C-alpha cells in the first residue's frame, strides 16, 4: 500500500567504553540524518544515562532504573548494569511494543558503556539478535577515544578489545576513533594517522614499546597479542570529528554500506551515490540522468557495446 512504512528497518547500535562519546555521537548523527531528510528515532538503552541531550523516542529507564536495582539488590554500578541488561533481555516484548510504532524511522541505539557487555556477556548480543528477528538491520558502531593512539601499549589493548567486540557482538561492524578534534591535545603521535586507522604493520609498535624498560619484559606477550590481531585482520578505524560534517558523512557511508541501507528504496538516490557506496570510491559523472537514459533506454546495441565505444 502506498505510503506504508517499510517492513525492514535500519539503524546503528552505538557501543564503546565509557567516555568514548556515544551520547554525543547519537546527538550529532541524529541531527545530521534529519538534515538529510531521514526520520530518526534515538533509543536510550543505557539505564545509567541521565540528562540526555537528544530527543529520546524510547528510554530503557522507563522499564528499569540502575539506581533502583543497586538499592534493591545491593549491587555496585557494574553488577547493576549487567542486571539491567538481563532484565531488558527477559522483557523484550516491552521493547518491541515501543519500537513497532516507530517503523519507518532510522534507529540509533545508545548502548551502555560497560565493556563486558560487548566482549563476553551475552545479554546485549541476545538483544541485538532478537532485533534481527524483527527485521531490524543494525550496524555496530564502536567508538574508541583517539587519545589511545598516543600510547602504544594502550593502542594494542584497544585493538584487542575491538577485535573481541567484533567477534562477540556478531553484527556488521564499524570502528571509529572519536574526538579527533582533540587529538592534538593528547600529545604527538609516534606514526602517521593512517598507521592507526588502517592498523598497518604492528611490529613498529613493538619496537616502540621496547624502548620502555617496563614493557621490555613483556615483549613476548605483546608479540602474541599483535600476532593474534594481525591473524584475524579485521580491525580498522575511521577517524571521527563529530563537529565536522564531512567526517560524519564518511562514517554514515560506511554504516549504510555495512547494514545495506544504501541499497534500499527508502530514499531516491542518484547513480553516483549508489556506485560510490557500493565500491567505496567517489565516482564523478557529468550527468547521471544522461547516463541512465543512454544505458537503460532500448537501443540496437547492447550496453556493453556502447560502453566499449566510449
Amino acid at each position: 500500500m502506498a505510503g506504508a512504512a517499510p517492513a525492514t528497518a535500519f539503524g546503528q547500535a552505538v557501543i564503546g567504553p565509557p567516555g568514548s562519546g556515544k551520547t554525543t555521537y547519537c546527538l550529532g548523527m541524529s541531527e545530521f540524518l534529519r538534515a538529510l531528510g531521514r526520520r530518526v528515532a534515538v533509543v536510550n538503552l543505557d539505564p545509567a544515562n541521565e540528562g540526555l541531550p537528544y530527543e529520546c523516542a524510547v528510554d530503557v529507564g522507563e522499564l528499569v532504573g540502575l539506581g533502583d536495582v543497586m538499592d534493591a539488590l545491593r549491587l555496585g554500578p557494574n553488577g547493576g548494569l549487567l542486571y539491567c541488561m538481563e532484565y531488558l533481555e527477559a522483557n523484550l516484548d516491552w521493547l518491541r511494543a515501543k519500537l513497532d510504532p516507530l517503523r519507518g524511522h532510522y534507529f540509533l541505539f545508545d548502548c551502555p558503556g560497560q565493556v563486558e557487555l560487548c566482549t563476553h556477556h551475552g545479554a546485549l548480543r541476545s538483544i541485538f539478535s532478537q532485533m534481527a528477528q524483527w527485521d531490524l538491520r543494525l550496524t555496530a558502531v564502536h567508538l574508541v577515544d583517539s587519545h589511545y593512539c598516543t600510547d602504544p601499549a594502550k593502542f594494542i589493548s584497544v585493538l584487542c578489545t575491538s577485535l573481541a567486540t567484533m567477534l562477540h557482538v556478531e553484527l556488521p561492524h564499524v570502528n571509529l576513533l572519536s574526538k579527533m578534534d582533540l587529538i592534538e591535545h593528547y600529545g604527538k603521535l609516534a606514526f602517521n594517522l593512517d598507521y592507526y586507522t588502517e592498523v598497518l604493520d604492528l611490529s613498529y609498535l613493538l619496537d616502540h614499546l621496547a624502548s620502555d624498560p617496563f614493557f621490555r619484559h613483556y615483549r613476548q606477550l605483546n608479540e602474541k597479542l599483535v600476532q593474534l590481531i594481525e591473524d584475524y585482520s579485521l580491525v580498522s578505524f575511521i577517524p571521527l570529528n563529530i563537529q565536522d560534517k564531512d567526517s560524519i558523512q564518511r562514517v554514515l557511508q560506511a554504516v549504510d554500506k555495512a547494514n545495506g541501507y544504501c541499497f534500499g528504496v527508502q530514499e531516491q538516490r542518484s547513480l553516483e551515490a549508489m556506485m560510490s557506496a557500493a565500491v567505496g570510491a567517489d565516482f564523478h559523472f557529468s550527468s547521471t540522468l544522461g547516463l541512465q537514459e543512454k544505458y537503460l533506454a532500448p537501443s540496437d546495441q547492447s550496453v556493453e557495446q556502447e560502453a566499449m565505444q566510449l
Side-chain angles (χ1 to χ4, degrees):
M1 184 175 67
T8 301
F10 295 86
Q12 304 177 27
V14 184
I15 58 179
S20 57
K22 298 183 296 298
T23 298
T24 303
Y25 173 86
C26 288
L27 173 62
M29 181 58 74
S30 64
E31 292 176 347
F32 185 80
L33 290 170
R34 290 189 179 101
L36 293 179
R38 298 191 196 181
R39 292 194 296 166
V40 182
V42 185
V43 180
N44 175 40
L45 292 184
D46 186 358
N49 260 350
E50 297 179 355
L52 296 172
Y54 49 73
E55 181 183 349
C56 189
V58 181
D59 188 356
V60 72
E62 298 176 7
L63 174 69
V64 59
L66 178 60
D68 295 336
V69 168
M70 292 170 60
D71 293 340
L73 302 179
R74 297 182 179 179
L75 295 172
N78 291 336
L81 196 52
L82 292 177
Y83 179 88
C84 289
M85 289 298 100
E86 291 171 354
Y87 189 81
L88 176 60
E89 179 188 9
N91 293 274
L92 284 175
D93 54 338
W94 174 87
L95 181 61
R96 184 167 191 177
K98 292 288 187 178
L99 296 181
D100 280 347
L102 298 171
R103 283 286 175 170
H105 287 71
Y106 186 95
F107 291 97
L108 294 174
F109 292 92
D110 190 357
C111 299
Q114 193 169 3
V115 176
E116 295 93 322
L117 288 169
C118 297
T119 56
H120 59 272
H121 194 270
L124 200 58
R125 178 180 63 180
S126 177
I127 293 169
F128 293 152
S129 177
Q130 188 59 49
M131 288 182 188
Q133 300 300 317
W134 303 340
D135 206 9
L136 177 54
R137 299 183 184 178
L138 295 178
T139 294
V141 179
H142 183 223
L143 275 69
V144 174
D145 199 317
S146 60
H147 88 267
Y148 290 119
C149 296
T150 61
D151 188 323
K154 291 181 180 179
F155 187 65
I156 291 177
S157 299
V158 162
L159 292 174
C160 291
T161 302
S162 300
L163 177 60
T165 300
M166 295 177 75
L167 296 176
H168 180 74
V169 172
E170 297 180 347
L171 284 176
H173 205 96
V174 175
N175 291 307
L176 305 181
L177 286 177
S178 63
K179 305 180 183 178
M180 288 301 300
D181 52 321
L182 302 176
I183 194 169
E184 294 181 356
H185 302 288
Y186 299 140
K188 186 177 180 180
L189 297 178
F191 307 99
N192 292 332
L193 182 61
D194 289 349
Y195 179 85
Y196 300 94
T197 57
E198 301 299 328
V199 189
L200 302 175
D201 190 352
L202 297 179
S203 62
Y204 293 103
L205 276 183
L206 294 176
D207 295 336
H208 198 73
L209 282 172
S211 61
D212 189 317
F214 176 80
F215 290 107
R216 191 177 302 143
H217 298 290
Y218 299 97
R219 183 178 179 88
Q220 287 186 330
L221 173 62
N222 289 323
E223 286 177 348
K224 294 299 182 181
L225 292 175
V226 164
Q227 181 180 349
L228 178 67
I229 295 165
E230 292 183 333
D231 284 348
Y232 275 95
S233 189
L234 291 175
V235 184
S236 62
F237 296 94
I238 299 175
L240 170 67
N241 176 3
I242 199 63
Q243 307 295 332
D244 182 11
K245 292 181 180 179
D246 291 337
S247 179
I248 300 177
Q249 183 179 9
R250 286 192 293 270
V251 171
L252 183 60
Q253 286 176 340
V255 172
D256 285 349
K257 184 166 61 173
N259 62 19
Y261 181 89
C262 63
F263 304 108
V265 296
Q266 283 75 15
E267 295 175 348
Q268 294 295 326
R269 299 175 182 84
S270 67
L271 180 62
E272 177 179 358
M274 195 72 169
M275 292 297 294
S276 296
V279 302
D282 290 328
F283 285 81
H284 300 284
F285 299 111
S286 58
S287 175
T288 300
L289 292 177
L291 283 175
Q292 289 176 324
E293 292 174 356
K294 181 177 180 62
Y295 289 117
L296 298 181
S299 64
D300 295 332
Q301 290 180 310
S302 66
V303 170
E304 181 179 359
Q305 289 173 328
E306 291 191 65
M308 292 295 292
Q309 293 176 1
L310 292 179

